[in-house]
Amino acid sequence: MGWSPPSADDLRERLGSELFRRVAGPSGEQTRARIHGTPGPRWFGPDRPIRTVHGDAAMFVGGLTALLLQSLHPSAMAAVAAHSGFRGDPWGRLQRTSTFLAVTTFGTADDARHAVERVRAVHERVRGTTPGGRAYRASDPHLLGWVHVAEVHSFLRAHLRYGAAPLTRSGCDGYVADTARIAEELGVEGPPRNLTELVRRMESYRSELDGTREARQAARFLLVDPPIPWQARAPYALLAAGAVELLPPWALGVLGLPRLPRPARVAARAGGRLAIGGIRWAMAPPPPPPASGGSPGPTGRTPGSSP
């Protein structure tokens, strides 16, 4: 028999499996089954906005935006550079972050609490001095507050720009309130609980932010020299353009990135939509098998439901 090209379903399954493996790690399937299949109360019910945001492919853009934004705090960047292994093991860091988000958003309350305890134990060990000579510790509530608001702000902007079903204003307030629950468990004091508070809290950190050499090196690593196969470079470039376009205008200058003229911003958004659309297509659950008396379990592979 002659060779025949793979079908669209085969291609989607192959791409989706590779993306899932990259994001969730080699034990992602087992982790996903535990998160979604373990009975017990959850921190967030199925109708909560945090599930809508964290379960959508727009998180791929939002996560990259968050990393760029978080790097602007010298203490946060120094802690990441010295302790996270983001250069030596970037995929491992992504997988740990993905698992934490999935467990706290979708997992049982017990599993969520254990995940938070593990992170807090790591934070207690992370301390040092910035290149500028300032002492830092990852468990500092103020520093944790910056990491939190930068992450929530980025995830929400990505969701509103690229989400499959963007939240309403009240839904956005609900999302910020949901994330505050996790932030408090991690040690953040008085996290914002609505969109207005989130914007104000972001602004309150502006005087502390700086485009240090480490921050600009991290931006180059994430945007220009990412550790991905050459076949994925073009789609990743579209994703990165969408992530940069989501940054607040002031952050671009601090990071040494050019301000995009309107035509370039429009093109970046179009590229982001194309990249997210491709990810959403690849990671969509496969069609259910023909009816045979059974009912298939959850198979979605979007960031929130994976691992």
Side-chain angles (χ1 to χ4, degrees):
M1 295 179 63
W3 176 85
S4 60
S7 68
D9 285 342
D10 289 339
L11 181 60
R12 179 168 64 180
E13 178 64 24
R14 193 176 306 167
L15 290 173
S17 295
E18 177 61 19
L19 272 172
F20 182 78
R21 186 183 65 81
R22 290 280 185 174
V23 172
S27 60
E29 294 287 351
Q30 297 94 314
T31 304
R32 179 174 61 190
R34 188 191 78 245
I35 290 172
H36 295 278
T38 303
R42 264 71 177 163
W43 280 355
F44 308 105
D47 60 338
R48 292 307 304 167
I50 193 171
R51 289 194 169 213
T52 301
V53 175
H54 291 179
D56 190 86
M59 288 284 283
F60 280 86
V61 171
L64 188 52
T65 303
L67 290 174
L68 293 168
L69 198 54
Q70 289 167 345
S71 75
L72 290 177
H73 198 293
S75 295
M77 186 63 239
V80 168
H83 301 276
S84 77
F86 83 101
R87 286 185 182 275
D89 184 26
W91 290 109
R93 184 169 188 258
L94 172 63
Q95 290 154 14
R96 291 189 293 273
T97 301
S98 169
T99 299
F100 179 81
L101 287 170
V103 170
T104 52
T105 303
F106 299 96
T108 65
D110 284 344
D111 277 352
R113 195 167 293 109
H114 291 154
V116 166
E117 289 170 356
R118 287 192 293 271
V119 170
R120 292 194 69 150
V122 171
H123 285 171
E124 287 296 332
R125 299 193 297 269
V126 174
R127 55 187 66 209
T129 306
T130 69
R134 183 171 183 172
Y136 66 81
R137 54 188 178 87
S139 59
D140 175 12
H142 183 71
L143 188 57
L144 286 170
W146 164 250
V147 173
H148 172 69
V149 297
E151 182 176 273
V152 173
H153 187 271
S154 300
F155 288 170
L156 194 51
R157 278 180 63 84
H159 170 76
L160 293 175
R161 178 87 81 236
Y162 301 112
L167 296 172
T168 62
R169 172 59 189 251
S170 63
C172 291
D173 286 340
Y175 173 68
V176 178
D178 287 346
T179 61
R181 165 72 187 274
I182 302 173
E184 284 187 323
E185 295 280 351
L186 285 169
V188 178
E189 296 177 352
R193 297 185 179 278
N194 58 53
L195 194 55
T196 300
E197 291 180 7
L198 176 65
V199 173
R200 288 176 180 165
R201 190 67 57 85
M202 279 277 295
E203 191 64 26
S204 73
Y205 280 94
R206 284 280 300 276
S207 63
E208 303 176 32
L209 307 182
D210 187 21
T212 61
R213 179 173 63 90
E214 292 75 20
R216 296 190 179 205
Q217 287 176 343
R220 180 175 180 83
F221 177 75
L222 292 169
L223 301 175
V224 181
D225 300 316
I228 57 176
W230 67 266
Q231 302 95 323
R233 290 277 171 157
Y236 184 86
L238 297 177
L239 202 70
V244 170
E245 194 273 331
L246 287 175
L247 285 168
W250 55 262
L252 293 172
V254 180
L255 273 173
L257 299 173
R259 292 203 176 197
L260 302 175
R262 179 173 175 78
R265 293 199 304 271
V266 171
R269 292 177 189 177
R273 289 191 186 95
L274 184 61
I276 291 300
I279 292 171
R280 190 172 285 127
W281 172 80
M283 301 192 77
S292 60
S295 176
T299 54
R301 287 182 302 226
T302 51
S305 58
S306 64

